[in-house]
Amino acid sequence: MSFKAKIILIALSTALAAYAVVGGLLARRASAVAKGNPYVQLKIFNEVVKHIANDYVDEPDMNKVRIGALRGLADGLDPYCAYLSPEQASRFKPETMTATPFGMVVSKYAGFAYAVAVVPGSPAARAGVKTGDFIEYVNAVATRDVSLYEVLEMLVSVPDDGAIEVTILRPGLPKGEKRILKKTGTFQSPVESRMEAPDTGYIKVGLLTKGKAEQVIAAARQLQQRGAQKLVLDLRESAHGDLAEGVALAGAFTPGAVVARKLSAGNQTEALTAQPGSFTFDGALVVLTDRSTAGPAEVVAAAARDHKRGEIVGEKTFGAGSQQAVFPLRDGSAMLLTTVRYAPATGKSFMEEPVKPSVEVKVAAAEPALPDLDADAPPAPESTEEVKKVAPPSEDVILKRALELLKGETKQAQRPLSKGRLPKAA
C-alpha cells in the first residue's frame, strides 16, 4: 500500500470512527435504529476499512469509499436522512424536503422513489402519474441509487415552463413507462364537500396546507345547514401539509386536549394540544384512510381513533411525519438527519406504526407491488398476466362501506349517533 493510501486510510478510519460514535449515541438516545454499543460498531468499521485497503483486488479510491460509507449511514436511518456532498450542502434549501413537485407527494418505498399521493389536476396527474406509482428514473438517474433529497432536488429545480422525464412502474404495466412532467400553470388541492344522504355529509380534505383546517370546518358548517347530522371525513390523498393544520383539524372533530406528540432525541416528548373550545362537531363521524394518507392527516385519523369518535374505514396509512435538520461537517459536506417524528397521543411514531383502520376494506393492489429488483432491464411485475387481472374497483368501496356504517346497516359505530352541533360562524 502506498504512503498516500495509508494516510487516506488513517483519515477515513478516524472519520468513520467519529461518525460511528456519533451515530451510535444518536441511535441510543433516540432508542431507534442502531442498537448496541457504539464502540463495538466502531471496531467493525475499522475492520471493514482495513480489509478494503489491504485485501481489495485494486488500490481503492478511499474518498469514494468514505462517501459511500457516509451515505450508507444515512440510508440505514430512514428515507428522509441523507449525506450531502459539499456542493449539495452549499445549495441546500430546507423547503426542498417539504415540496410537492408537479403536485406529487414523494417519499421512498423499497428503495425507489414513490408517489404517496398525486393531486388531481396537477401537472403530474395530467402527465399520467398516479398515486402509488414507483418512480424508477428521474431523467437517467436511478432513484434506487440516490437519496430522497436528491430526487426531490432534481424535481424541484426544474425552471418554470421547463420539463423533466420520469420513468414509472405500476402494476399492470409490462415495463417502465416514461412520463414528461411539465412545470406549467398552478394547481390547488381544494376542499370537496357534498351531501351523500339527507342526513349525511362528505368532505374530502386534500393536502393540509395553511388554512385548510378552517376551510374544512366551514364546509362542515355548510353541510349541517343542509341537514347533515353525520359526516364522512375523507383523508385519502392527504399526504402532506402543516402539522399545525393537522392538530387544528383533529381538535375540531375530537374532544380530547392532547391530539398528538412530537418525539425527539433523548426521549423528549412535546404534547400537541387542540385549542380550548375548538371541538366543533360531535355528530357521528367516519374517517377514511389508505396508503395515500400521511403526515398531518395521520394526526387527524389517530385522534379520531384514540378518542373513539367513530370508525376508521379503509386501509392502513403510509406512515410518515417528521422534521429534519442539517449538521455541517468540517469538509463542507453535511448530514441531513431526522430530529423529530410525529406520533399519536400514545404509542409509537407514525413512521414506526401507521394508523390501522378499525374497519378494513381491502382494495385491489392495496400494497405497493414491488418491481423485479433483480432485472437489469426496466423492472416489471413477476407475472404480467396475473397483474392485469387486478383492476381497480368500479366503485368507491371504502366510501360505500363508510356510508353503510353510518346507516347502521352492518355495524354500529363506536360512538352512539348524536345530532351534530356546530357553533355559528362569527
Side-chain angles (χ1 to χ4, degrees):
M1 188 183 346
S2 67
F3 177 75
K4 180 180 179 181
K6 289 181 180 179
I7 295 297
I8 294 175
L9 172 60
I10 294 172
L12 176 59
S13 298
T14 303
L16 286 176
Y19 292 127
V21 172
V22 172
L25 290 174
L26 284 173
R28 183 175 60 187
R29 289 168 60 196
S31 300
V33 181
K35 307 246 176 171
N37 191 322
Y39 298 102
V40 173
Q41 308 300 324
L42 168 60
K43 290 182 179 180
I44 296 174
F45 271 116
N46 282 333
E47 289 179 14
V48 171
V49 171
K50 288 179 181 178
H51 281 301
I52 291 173
N54 295 325
D55 303 323
Y56 184 66
V57 62
D58 296 320
E59 185 169 326
D61 184 331
M62 300 306 288
N63 186 55
K64 288 184 178 180
V65 172
R66 176 180 65 85
I67 292 174
L70 295 178
R71 285 179 173 168
L73 284 172
D75 289 344
L77 297 172
D78 65 52
Y80 306 96
C81 295
Y83 166 74
L84 305 179
S85 68
E87 295 76 20
Q88 291 171 327
S90 65
R91 63 175 184 263
F92 175 79
K93 296 179 181 179
E95 56 268 27
T96 298
M97 289 301 292
T98 58
T100 53
F102 301 96
M104 296 185 296
V105 180
V106 182
S107 184
K108 274 207 163 188
Y109 190 91
F112 289 87
Y114 177 75
V116 182
V118 177
V119 177
S122 65
R126 294 196 297 269
V129 181
K130 297 182 178 181
T131 294
D133 282 349
F134 288 92
I135 302 174
E136 185 186 20
Y137 291 97
V138 176
N139 285 335
V141 179
T143 62
R144 281 182 290 177
D145 297 337
V146 296
S147 67
L148 175 61
Y149 176 78
E150 291 172 278
V151 172
L152 290 170
E153 187 181 42
M154 287 187 287
L155 294 171
V156 169
S157 62
V158 176
D160 291 342
D161 297 322
I164 194 168
E165 181 183 85
V166 297
T167 304
I168 63 168
L169 299 166
R170 181 191 304 157
L173 296 179
K175 60 180 181 179
E177 290 195 356
K178 299 182 186 302
R179 299 284 190 269
I180 302 298
L181 305 181
K182 298 179 180 179
K183 196 171 184 180
T184 56
T186 60
F187 65 91
Q188 296 180 340
S189 177
V191 174
E192 299 176 19
S193 64
R194 62 178 182 266
M195 294 295 292
E196 286 287 346
D199 64 348
T200 304
Y202 166 89
I203 298 177
K204 187 175 181 65
V205 174
L207 303 185
L208 277 166
T209 50
K210 190 172 181 60
K212 183 60 71 74
E214 281 299 325
Q215 294 174 25
V216 173
I217 293 171
R221 290 194 179 104
Q222 292 174 1
L223 291 173
Q224 192 198 30
Q225 291 171 0
R226 296 170 61 185
Q229 299 176 10
K230 311 170 188 178
L231 186 64
V232 175
L233 189 66
D234 193 345
L235 296 177
R236 294 173 296 176
E237 295 188 325
S238 181
H240 181 271
D242 191 330
L243 177 61
E245 295 296 320
V247 172
L249 188 58
F253 292 99
T254 59
V258 177
V259 296
R261 295 171 299 145
K262 291 168 66 174
L263 310 180
S264 55
N267 293 322
Q268 296 183 44
T269 299
E270 178 185 349
L272 303 175
T273 59
Q275 290 293 328
S278 61
F279 182 40
T280 57
F281 184 82
D282 69 349
L285 180 70
V286 171
V287 177
L288 310 186
T289 64
D290 65 8
R291 286 192 61 84
S292 65
T293 306
E298 290 177 288
V299 169
V300 182
R305 174 200 63 193
D306 295 341
H307 294 287
K308 302 188 185 304
R309 278 292 286 118
E311 303 285 6
I312 310 299
V313 178
E315 302 160 352
K316 72 176 180 180
T317 61
F318 182 75
S322 61
Q323 297 174 7
Q324 286 70 40
V326 173
F327 297 88
L329 305 177
R330 64 177 58 197
D331 66 345
S333 61
M335 295 295 287
L336 179 66
L337 298 177
T338 297
T339 55
V340 174
R341 285 182 176 176
Y342 305 158
T346 60
K348 297 180 179 180
S349 72
F350 297 120
M351 291 178 68
E352 296 174 283
E353 288 187 356
V355 179
K356 294 181 180 179
S358 57
V359 178
E360 184 178 14
V361 179
K362 293 185 178 181
V363 179
E367 289 289 331
L370 299 180
D372 182 1
L373 303 183
D374 296 325
D376 292 327
E382 288 184 7
S383 175
T384 302
E385 292 303 318
E386 260 185 46
V387 171
K388 284 184 177 179
K389 295 178 183 178
V390 178
S394 58
E395 61 180 342
D396 190 340
V397 292
I398 293 178
L399 176 58
K400 180 180 179 181
R401 182 72 171 115
L403 294 174
E404 289 174 352
L405 291 173
L406 286 176
K407 289 178 182 178
E409 291 180 354
T410 55
K411 183 178 179 181
Q412 293 294 325
Q414 291 179 358
R415 188 174 183 275
L417 300 184
S418 62
K419 187 176 181 180
R421 183 172 65 249
L422 286 166
K424 295 181 180 179

